[in-house]
Amino acid sequence: MALITISGYPSSGKTTRANQIFNFLQIKLQNPEYQGPNLKVVLLSDDSLDIPRAAYDDSKLEKAARGALFTAIQRLIARDTLLIVDSLNYIKGFRYQVYCAAREMKLRVCTVYVVATPDLCREWNSKRGDGHDYDPDTIDNLIMRYEEPSSMVRWDSPLLTVMWEDADIPGPQIWEAVTLGSIKPPNSGTLSAAKAPTDALHVLEQITASMVSAILAERSASQLETLVSLTLPGSIKLQLTLPSRHITLSELQRFKRQFITVHKKAITLGTTEKGAVDWEENNIAHKFATYLEDHLRA
């Protein structure tokens, strides 16, 4: 249904805001006046994944932590879920990656930017008594590297900002974003290619061979009629227009081999037509008929 990305400096109060959002959404969904789909709210965080703050002390450990977080996001995003991601999310490339994952699932998105001054973050970090504090050098490094969200880029929009002195979150705006916001279509660059079935080459060979035989038989019986009706195994019926001249078996076989060669690439690598290849027998027959009409006319 929706993905809410929390972003902000380390120790800026992101978890507090994430819990406020979680509670607000729960109350909205349990309200008797709510008549929408049956949804659940899930809060995902570094803590829920047992990612220690020390993971951000080392670039390799941090990369592994981000990988674990992204894997969890992919596992939890769903059409019946309002997923809140409470983590640093300080790299715009990672936010874009999360945004693309949400688009693939056709989910609404929302970014909540939790703002606190660097000095406040350092102060709050030093006073933490829960064992989740950052090393002083690490927090300085993370603040320096932080890439601020922007409402001008699509992966951070809509962007809602919560200042450190705000007592509460902008609940109504978040609710509107996750229930009424626009759903962006999947990015074509992130879509996986549709793979052909395992018997696609066999079906391709069988259908085209049957058509070659049927065309020769019909042409022999119809005395060079241009409009030919074919009936193939599997109750496949189609018509194609042929030139009013003699057509040889070798000519048809050549075009059959060319047609199969073109489609072999789609079989081995996935579709080369962005999802347009349909491997159903009837559609293969009609595509080969069109191919023959175009090439025999030449």
Side-chain angles (χ1 to χ4, degrees):
M1 178 68 176
L3 174 69
I4 303 170
T5 303
I6 311 292
S7 182
Y9 286 157
S11 293
S12 59
K14 295 185 302 300
T15 298
T16 298
R17 301 306 187 180
N19 285 321
Q20 287 177 318
I21 295 171
F22 179 87
N23 294 331
F24 176 84
L25 295 177
Q26 288 278 47
I27 292 171
K28 292 289 288 186
L29 292 174
Q30 294 167 6
N31 191 319
E33 295 182 0
Y34 173 69
Q35 300 296 322
N38 186 23
L39 302 174
K40 60 183 177 181
V41 186
V42 176
L43 177 55
L44 176 66
S45 67
D46 287 355
D47 294 340
S48 67
L49 294 174
D50 293 324
I51 296 174
R53 300 297 187 269
Y56 295 94
D57 297 344
D58 178 83
S59 59
K60 290 183 179 180
L61 293 177
E62 181 183 339
K63 185 176 180 179
R66 280 202 304 273
L69 178 64
F70 185 69
T71 299
I73 291 171
Q74 290 181 300
R75 184 177 67 250
L76 293 173
I77 53 176
R79 301 300 296 274
D80 65 344
T81 301
L82 299 175
L83 178 62
I84 305 167
V85 181
D86 170 27
S87 185
L88 287 177
N89 299 318
Y90 73 100
I91 299 174
K92 62 183 178 182
F94 181 75
R95 295 198 300 270
Y96 176 72
Q97 186 180 14
V98 172
Y99 165 80
C100 288
R103 281 186 63 174
E104 283 192 58
M105 291 292 294
K106 298 181 180 180
L107 305 181
R108 295 180 174 89
V109 295
C110 173
T111 303
V112 177
Y113 179 23
V114 180
V115 178
T117 66
D119 287 341
L120 271 177
C121 293
R122 295 185 184 98
E123 179 185 344
W124 292 340
N125 182 67
S126 65
K127 293 180 178 178
R128 298 188 72 146
D130 56 4
H132 295 317
D133 56 305
Y134 297 86
D135 181 86
D137 290 337
T138 298
I139 195 170
D140 287 342
N141 183 39
L142 291 171
I143 289 173
M144 181 182 65
R145 293 163 53 201
Y146 185 79
E147 296 176 331
E148 184 176 325
S150 170
S151 60
M152 301 299 292
V153 297
R154 61 190 183 278
W155 58 87
D156 288 332
S157 300
L159 178 63
L160 302 171
T161 301
V162 186
M163 304 299 292
W164 70 90
E165 68 264 29
D166 292 344
D168 207 352
I169 54 163
Q173 292 93 323
I174 294 174
W175 177 253
E176 180 179 354
V178 301
T179 58
L180 301 176
S182 62
I183 299 176
K184 302 292 179 61
N187 187 334
S188 60
T190 66
L191 293 176
S192 58
K195 294 295 183 181
T198 55
D199 64 343
L201 184 58
H202 172 74
V203 172
L204 196 61
E205 291 273 6
Q206 189 177 50
I207 293 296
T208 52
S210 297
M211 286 184 64
V212 168
S213 298
I215 289 170
L216 289 173
E218 285 295 322
R219 177 47 70 88
S220 175
S222 61
Q223 300 298 320
L224 302 183
E225 287 288 336
T226 56
L227 185 64
V228 176
S229 298
L230 304 180
T231 300
L232 306 177
S235 301
I236 299 174
K237 296 183 179 181
L238 71 157
Q239 291 183 327
L240 72 159
T241 303
L242 300 176
S244 56
R245 62 174 175 81
H246 182 64
I247 299 173
T248 65
L249 172 61
S250 61
E251 188 177 12
L252 289 174
Q253 291 283 24
R254 184 174 75 254
F255 289 129
K256 168 180 171 289
R257 288 193 298 271
Q258 291 174 358
F259 181 80
I260 290 175
T261 299
V262 168
H263 287 77
K264 270 185 178 180
K265 187 175 182 180
I267 292 172
T268 55
L269 301 179
T271 174
T272 59
E273 300 178 32
K274 296 183 179 179
V277 175
D278 188 333
W279 298 101
E280 197 269 328
E281 293 180 355
N282 187 60
N283 286 307
I284 292 175
H286 280 84
K287 282 198 170 191
F288 186 45
T290 301
Y291 185 87
L292 288 176
E293 287 177 339
D294 292 340
H295 288 75
L296 287 170
R297 191 185 311 123

